[in-house]
Amino acid sequence: MSGKHGRTPGESDVRKAHALIVLAALLATVPAFAKDNSAALKAEAQRVSIVRDDWGIAHVSGRTDADAVFGMIYAQAEDDFNRVENNYLLALGRSAEADGEGLVYQDLRQKLFVDPVELRAKYAQSPAWLRKLMDAWADGLNYYLATHPDVHPRVIAHFEPWMALSFTEGSIGGDIERVSTRELQAFYGNPTPQVPERVAAVQERYVEPTGSNGIVIAPSRTKDGHALLLINPHTSFYFRAELQMQSKEGLDAYGAATWGQFFIYQGFNRTQGWMHTSSGVDVVDEFAETVTRKDGQLSYKYGNAQRPLTTKTIVVPYRDADGKLAQKTFTAYFTHHGPVVRVDKDGKWISIALMNKPIEALSQSFLRTKTRDLPGFLKVAETWKANSSNNTLYADNKGDIAYLHPQFIPRRDDRFDYTQPVDGSDPATGWGRLLDLNERPNAINPGNGWLQNTNNWPYSVAGPLSPKREDFPRYMDSAGENPRGIHAVMLLQGKNDFTAESLRAAAFDSYLPAFAQLVPTLVEAYDDAPASDPLKSKLKDQIELLRHWDYRWGADSAETSLAVFWGETLYAQSAAAARAAGIDWLDYASGKTTPTRKLDALATASDRLSSDFGSWKTPWGQINRFQRLSDDIAPKFSDDAPSTPVPFVSSQWGSLASFGARRQEGTKRYYGTSGNSFVAVVEFGDKVSAHAVMAGGESGDIDSPHFRDGIARYASGDLREVYFYPEQLVGHSGPAHHPGQ
């Protein structure tokens, strides 16, 4: 396969000889715990087969699980080494070494939790089977670099097995990202920690939710008596690769793998499938510490005693303006709760507690892909209990369906509000043991025959048969309901003849519940306005258009354009007030904003449409576009370059199909950067059957036919057949090859 970082078979003997010389030079520096000669790596590569289908998707097979890991990470590097390395720069706290001083505090945040010395020790403590996988992972990446001397890593020229422990769960935003880098800088940016005013984290421009949709349907609610699964993560585009990995040790998983990781994060095997959505469970807690200084020593109160703060020197290298490496050195402070990350306005030092179990998290993430039924899946989850941020939707060929709340949930005293910092000096606020399976709001094989989650609370996953909110502590959820959840329940309840196609259609249903709530209040405001109001004549035609709208998005819909621009304007004007009032923004905007504000927002939106596009009646597809011009991590966009209309909208408005788009630098059109990133519908019959689409295309090579070949299908919701079985690949793939060929 031709690729940005690879070459098609048939390259010159001179080039091959050069690659072997580079490989030999590289292997001379490999640590003792890795393979230490080119023959070993070549033999490992020969045990691996990679087949690329007609969408460029890698189907990797090997004799052992380790062989499959070697091949799948090599294939990822072929497709987009830049993104593989970038994820490990972030995970290891080394982004500033590539991109400059502006990322120093992002790296410091990571290094508060990720220490190479500790990870090397954890690697040595890992089970033998896991060490083999980590060895194979490092070998695959190093073999790729050795056989592609034209690839120049920005920072990581050699991968070591322990590095795989730095990035284990697969979520788009890990728990660590709850720590504000601005507040971290306000605390650690001073030679002596002081009491700066807390940085306000208010942003009026709407930020597209990251998360996902997951739906499972039991055989009792399907036409053909087969369980169905919808996999629909909402992430930034190009965040994951689509691939298949197989071994003769029972591994046969297909789906989306986060760049640089060696497990299928969201996908299926021959008998079962799993989908993760971002959870609202509260498992990242802040503790307000009472810190005192005596004789130059810092301590903090805990119960009736004083405990010394632990300190640690952290060095953060960065690339300076001249391109040279420099560094900043910090003294980091820790209590038994965790690292100190800021200081509040009352002078309390705030420490943070979150899950940091890399061996357990990586073990659970890989082993669940090899289970074959619900008892096996549950056993892996309960054995490792290292999923802190993801709900899971599950379905299998036995007809079992399940919603699983995260497994890492520490027991806490429900008297305290853990959404706010709690008193760290009070032992009663501390974490207890992890909750058991039956203590969490799970739902397994409910009588209604379906389950859904859209990053909303667990109390609507099965409609009326959902877990009851009053049966669980407050910390089980801090997300609440959302418009997508309301939409999903509306589509699922009362329907008994689902097929794979009708589930796909539901995933792209165009109804927008948020506007069904908002627009009638706008029309009412207009109707009640006095005839003397100048907006009465200015907005007459706009109101008539929206008055008769069916609240459905569409590429040809001017109503969608007008409603979205109005909704965004209203959000900018009222989001802060909704937060201050502690009210959901949608409820606040519909019930608390004044009629005048609603009408003024519509006038502003109408004027903006006319100014930018020549008419306030501009169809949505002329505004909302998919464009892929390069594989830059931070892409650029241009109104003068080709792009594709996308009919669906932001998930803010309740669209299950999400397209997070906005005006980019220098553009008037909206260009998407997040939302639907991988969509798959899986049916578990006698054989598993699936259809899927990936945002953009599989390859990161702008010259590859697979760089943009998914865009049209993505925009229209036209999923392609997944080639899961060998017979499906016949006529739809190139020849098998070994890594390095």
Side-chain angles (χ1 to χ4, degrees), residues 681-730:
V681 174
V682 190
E683 182 172 7
F684 297 95
D686 295 335
K687 284 190 168 185
V688 66
S689 173
H691 290 76
V693 71
M694 179 73 74
E698 177 66 22
S699 176
D701 177 9
I702 193 171
D703 297 320
S704 168
H706 306 303
F707 183 74
R708 297 188 183 94
D709 61 347
I711 294 178
R713 284 181 175 271
Y714 174 91
S716 62
D718 181 16
L719 310 189
R720 51 177 163 71
E721 180 184 3
V722 166
Y723 307 130
F724 184 76
Y725 295 99
E727 57 268 26
Q728 291 177 286
L729 280 167
V730 175

Side-chain angles (χ1 to χ4, degrees), residues 88-94 110-111 114 119 156 162-163 166:
Y88 282 90
L89 294 180
L90 176 62
L92 292 165
R94 301 185 65 180
Q110 204 70 18
K111 288 174 181 285
V114 177
L119 290 188
I156 308 176
W162 60 267
M163 292 179 178
S166 68

Side-chain angles (χ1 to χ4, degrees), residues 206-237:
Y206 175 73
V207 177
E208 179 70 13
T210 55
S212 307
N213 300 325
I215 295 173
V216 287
I217 302 175
S220 61
R221 292 292 185 264
T222 66
K223 182 177 179 181
D224 297 322
H226 302 152
L228 297 170
L229 165 66
L230 170 68
I231 299 173
N232 183 202
H234 295 169
T235 69
S236 56
F237 291 163

Side-chain angles (χ1 to χ4, degrees), residues 326-591:
Q327 65 181 38
K328 289 182 181 290
T329 301
F330 301 92
T331 298
Y333 300 91
F334 298 79
T335 72
H336 72 285
H337 296 119
V340 176
V341 295
R342 63 181 177 87
V343 62
D344 71 10
K345 58 183 176 59
D346 297 320
K348 299 285 188 179
W349 287 23
I350 306 298
S351 63
I352 193 165
L354 51 81
M355 187 188 83
N356 189 11
K357 301 171 65 176
I359 295 174
E360 295 87 345
L362 188 54
S363 297
Q364 180 174 342
S365 294
F366 182 81
L367 289 176
R368 67 186 171 216
T369 71
K370 294 187 66 176
T371 59
R372 290 292 178 262
D373 54 25
L374 183 57
F377 197 91
L378 292 174
K379 182 179 179 181
V380 167
E382 288 302 293
T383 297
W384 300 99
K385 287 186 176 179
N387 165 24
S388 66
S389 63
N390 294 306
N391 309 314
T392 303
L393 282 300
Y394 171 96
D396 65 30
N397 65 352
K398 294 181 179 179
D400 287 327
I401 63 171
Y403 164 86
L404 304 178
H405 218 49
Q407 291 81 60
F408 182 89
I409 306 178
R411 186 183 305 277
R412 279 153 286 172
D413 189 328
D414 209 32
R415 292 177 300 159
F416 302 104
D417 179 9
Y418 286 91
T419 64
Q420 303 297 319
V422 293
D423 183 2
S425 69
D426 184 352
T429 64
W431 282 6
R433 67 174 180 83
L434 299 183
L435 296 179
D436 294 326
L437 177 69
N438 60 3
E439 297 179 285
R440 302 189 292 265
N442 298 328
I444 297 176
N445 293 323
N448 62 308
W450 54 262
L451 292 158
Q452 61 80 30
N453 189 254
T454 63
N455 318 123
N456 53 337
W457 60 8
Y459 308 125
S460 63
V461 293
L465 299 181
S466 303
K468 304 303 179 187
R469 186 181 185 184
E470 58 270 21
D471 293 340
F472 298 94
R474 286 181 293 170
Y475 56 76
M476 282 298 180
D477 178 75
S478 59
E481 186 56 277
N482 64 34
R484 281 181 292 134
I486 294 169
H487 191 181
V489 171
M490 180 188 76
L491 293 169
L492 293 168
Q493 58 189 5
K495 186 174 176 62
N496 299 318
D497 58 350
F498 271 101
T499 64
E501 171 52 31
S502 63
L503 180 56
R504 183 215 64 80
F508 288 88
D509 185 79
S510 58
Y511 187 65
L512 298 173
F515 286 123
Q517 178 178 340
L518 285 170
V519 169
T521 69
L522 172 66
V523 173
E524 181 182 10
Y526 178 85
D527 290 343
D528 291 345
S532 59
D533 189 332
L535 292 179
K536 200 79 170 180
S537 58
K538 176 180 175 66
L539 299 176
K540 177 178 181 297
D541 292 339
Q542 292 92 322
I543 289 292
E544 285 307 303
L545 189 70
L546 293 176
R547 188 192 301 274
H548 302 289
W549 185 33
D550 60 2
Y551 311 122
R552 292 189 174 275
W553 50 250
D556 297 328
S557 169
E559 296 93 331
T560 303
S561 304
L562 186 60
V564 168
F565 275 48
W566 171 65
E568 290 177 345
T569 304
L570 195 63
Y571 181 91
Q573 295 174 352
S574 57
R579 275 191 299 273
I583 299 175
D584 173 76
W585 174 77
L586 202 56
D587 293 337
Y588 187 92
S590 58

Side-chain angles (χ1 to χ4, degrees), residues 1-29:
M1 174 186 174
S2 178
K4 182 176 182 179
H5 306 297
R7 291 291 185 271
T8 57
E11 57 190 349
S12 71
D13 291 339
V14 172
R15 184 171 185 80
K16 290 180 180 178
H18 178 58
L20 290 174
I21 291 170
V22 173
L23 175 59
L26 173 69
L27 288 168
T29 67

Side-chain angles (χ1 to χ4, degrees), residues 615-628:
S615 170
W616 62 262
K617 294 184 73 172
T618 302
W620 181 237
Q622 293 185 25
I623 299 170
N624 200 50
R625 314 289 287 191
F626 194 114
Q627 186 178 76
R628 193 179 193 192

